[in-house]
Amino acid sequence: MTDISRRSVTNLSAIPKEEYIYRCTSACAGCSSSLCLRYVLKAAGPDSVLVVPACCTSVIQGIYPATAMNVPVYNVAFAAAAACASGMSEAFAATGKETNVIVYAGDGGTVDIGIQSLSGAFERGTNFLYICYDNEAYGNTGMQRSGSTPLGARTTTTPGGKPTSKKDLDRIVEAHNPPYMATACSAYPLDLYKKVRKALSIRGPKFIHILAPCPPGWRYPTEKTVEMGKLAVKTGVWVLYEREFGKLTINGPSKAAMRKPEPLEDYISGQGRFKNLSPETLDLMRQQVEQNIQRLAREEEGVC
């Protein structure tokens, strides 16, 4: 891995000013996944390569040679990102290079189509960082439901609301016992920056799962992206934590939310994808949020 600065970063002003993703992206207004990638690359630095399967980022980067990326990008097939990263990581190691190999993939290419190569790379102990930016649908092709789409959400293929719950990707990854895994959210860029830096300081397979609200897919005004991410955390829908060598630590913003979460309705009501949600579905969603909070709290306390 590249030499990552050891100086403490305690606020956004201390984050490096260098930019590795430029303003000429093809992202939608209010896109949080491109905001996340900006901080990911600031944390990783110039000696990094991105492996990007088919997803929104494939479009956001623009057309070569006039792309918005200032690091090498490998665009690969939907199912192949982790497999490509495995070969790339081994090739760099064989030539004595410590270049950061980072997969940056959407939920469709991670939770569904790419999960087999992700599992294989983690089983082999590949030295890389896999990042899933999760907008909870196949955003690049019109917001069809994915395995990451939450219960009750309306998509182009679930116009009446998704009847099943979101696949628990994090527990699937946890079962592989990676040395480091974490959750993050686009509304908390400093938290994301620190987690990427920590991940890249550890050898072996690492995983970061980012909640990336999507204005056109979730159907909220473009200026509400940061607010929507914060509501996800404050209501307990999305818990920020990191698991380092098996030990779980719940991070600051979620610590407060777990003690006294804001009403789930505050998060749901601002999104058109949850329009006409039935009271029964809302109750079930609330139960799932509470159960997940309790499970993580028990794990952090060491109570099985």
Side-chain angles (χ1 to χ4, degrees), residues 141-155:
T141 53
M143 297 307 295
Q144 299 89 353
R145 63 88 84 192
S146 77
S148 194
T149 302
L151 176 70
R154 293 171 179 262
T155 69

Side-chain angles (χ1 to χ4, degrees), residues 188-267:
Y188 297 88
L190 183 59
D191 177 74
L192 171 61
Y193 176 86
K194 289 180 176 180
K195 286 172 175 174
V196 172
R197 291 220 320 177
K198 181 181 285 188
L200 292 174
S201 72
I202 299 170
R203 296 197 69 81
K206 288 82 60 178
F207 178 79
I208 298 178
H209 190 183
I210 306 173
L211 182 68
C214 172
W218 293 17
R219 304 174 196 173
Y220 65 80
T222 57
E223 69 273 14
K224 298 286 187 180
T225 287
V226 171
E227 178 183 332
M228 200 58 61
K230 288 189 174 181
L231 279 172
V233 172
K234 290 178 179 179
T235 57
V237 169
W238 192 260
V239 180
L240 298 175
Y241 67 84
E242 50 193 333
R243 185 178 282 107
E244 191 171 355
F245 297 101
K247 180 175 175 53
L248 179 77
T249 301
I250 296 169
N251 302 122
S254 285
K255 281 282 192 183
M258 290 171 74
R259 286 193 295 269
K260 189 177 180 181
E262 294 187 9
L264 180 61
E265 290 84 348
D266 291 355
Y267 176 66

Side-chain angles (χ1 to χ4, degrees), residues 3 16 21 51 61 69 88 92 120 135 168 191-192 194 197 215 232 258 265 270 287 301:
D3 179 31
I21 175 171
V51 180
Q61 64 189 264
M69 305 298 190
M88 190 179 295
F92 282 134
N135 59 21
D168 196 338
D191 177 74
L192 171 61
K194 289 180 176 180
R197 291 220 320 177
M258 290 171 74
E265 290 84 348
Q287 291 173 29
E301 293 170 3

Side-chain angles (χ1 to χ4, degrees), residues 7 9 11-18 39 42-43 189-190 193:
R7 72 189 170 98
V9 176
N11 55 65
L12 286 173
S13 65
I15 291 177
K17 304 302 182 185
E18 291 82 4
Y39 286 97
K42 282 177 175 287
L190 183 59
Y193 176 86

Side-chain angles (χ1 to χ4, degrees), residues 59-246:
V59 176
I60 287 171
Q61 64 189 264
I63 301 172
Y64 182 83
T67 64
M69 305 298 190
N70 197 24
V71 296
V73 180
Y74 288 77
N75 291 283
V76 298
F78 234 141
C84 175
S86 290
M88 190 179 295
S89 176
E90 291 297 317
F92 282 134
T95 56
K97 294 182 179 179
E98 296 188 347
T99 300
N100 299 311
V101 178
I102 302 172
V103 170
Y104 197 71
D107 50 285
T110 303
V111 178
D112 298 330
I113 299 172
I115 198 166
Q116 43 76 31
S117 62
L118 169 64
S119 178
F122 273 65
E123 185 270 332
R124 290 189 297 272
T126 296
N127 185 29
F128 78 139
L129 171 60
Y130 192 110
I131 296 176
C132 172
Y133 66 96
D134 188 352
N135 59 21
E136 299 186 324
Y138 285 84
N140 188 32
T141 53
M143 297 307 295
Q144 299 89 353
R145 63 88 84 192
S146 77
S148 194
T149 302
L151 176 70
R154 293 171 179 262
T155 69
T156 54
T157 50
T158 57
K162 185 166 175 268
T164 56
S165 299
K166 179 171 181 169
K167 189 185 297 184
D168 196 338
L169 174 65
D170 297 324
R171 296 181 82 177
I172 294 171
V173 172
E174 180 193 347
H176 292 77
N177 296 313
Y180 183 83
M181 63 179 292
T183 59
C185 177
S186 59
Y188 297 88
L190 183 59
D191 177 74
L192 171 61
Y193 176 86
K194 289 180 176 180
K195 286 172 175 174
V196 172
R197 291 220 320 177
K198 181 181 285 188
L200 292 174
S201 72
I202 299 170
R203 296 197 69 81
K206 288 82 60 178
F207 178 79
I208 298 178
H209 190 183
I210 306 173
L211 182 68
C214 172
W218 293 17
R219 304 174 196 173
Y220 65 80
T222 57
E223 69 273 14
K224 298 286 187 180
T225 287
V226 171
E227 178 183 332
M228 200 58 61
K230 288 189 174 181
L231 279 172
V233 172
K234 290 178 179 179
T235 57
V237 169
W238 192 260
V239 180
L240 298 175
Y241 67 84
E242 50 193 333
R243 185 178 282 107
E244 191 171 355
F245 297 101

